[in-house]
Amino acid sequence: MSDLPPCPKCQSTFVYADASLLICPECAHEWSEQASQAQEEAPSIKDANGNILADGDSVSVLKDLKVKGSSDTVKVGTKVKGIKLVLGSTDGHNLDCKVKGIGSIMLKSEFVKKITS
């Protein structure tokens, strides 16, 4: 079979190349091979269970977390809606979010799990 990637829209394996474009005959989606490679190489942020997180996801906190510079604590099981991913963070805090009762904080993805609905 071919070594072309499956269609990103419908996951069809019947993809063919036409000049510099890849085309899916099932859904008529067209994309460039360079965009496909860049998407595969893009860094992803994963939760504690290995699920890939995206902007706007909802997560649940897995352990009590002390808030630096405050006496507040984010309790285990706290649900956080509408997270924003921060790529390239040097201190490991890669989620920007608002926690009810505490305010805007940054969390590490290793201490949360994605809530699937």
Side-chain angles (χ1 to χ4, degrees):
M1 198 124 195
S2 72
D3 59 343
L4 297 174
C7 175
K9 193 170 185 181
C10 71
Q11 300 304 318
S12 171
T13 58
F14 301 111
V15 174
Y16 64 91
D18 184 24
S20 64
L21 291 178
L22 297 176
I23 302 170
C24 175
E26 292 187 9
C27 68
H29 181 67
E30 297 180 359
W31 71 99
S32 69
E33 195 166 1
Q34 291 84 13
S36 177
Q37 289 173 352
Q39 191 176 37
E40 290 175 2
E41 296 172 3
S44 61
I45 296 176
K46 297 181 180 181
D47 69 357
N49 295 332
N51 298 319
I52 296 176
L53 298 172
D55 284 340
D57 280 348
S58 295
V59 295
S60 176
V61 178
L62 295 176
K63 69 179 239 179
D64 288 348
L65 301 172
K66 294 180 182 178
V67 178
K68 208 177 229 182
S70 174
S71 61
D72 293 331
T73 302
V74 180
K75 298 288 185 183
V76 66
T78 301
K79 294 179 182 175
V80 182
K81 297 179 183 178
I83 63 169
K84 292 181 185 174
L85 303 180
V86 180
L87 297 173
S89 174
T90 58
D91 60 355
H93 293 84
N94 47 14
L95 302 177
D96 192 14
C97 56
K98 289 185 181 178
V99 177
K100 196 172 191 176
I102 294 177
S104 182
I105 63 171
M106 293 188 73
L107 297 173
K108 292 184 178 183
S109 61
E110 62 197 55
F111 298 123
V112 299
K113 70 176 182 177
K114 185 176 183 177
I115 299 173
T116 56
S117 49

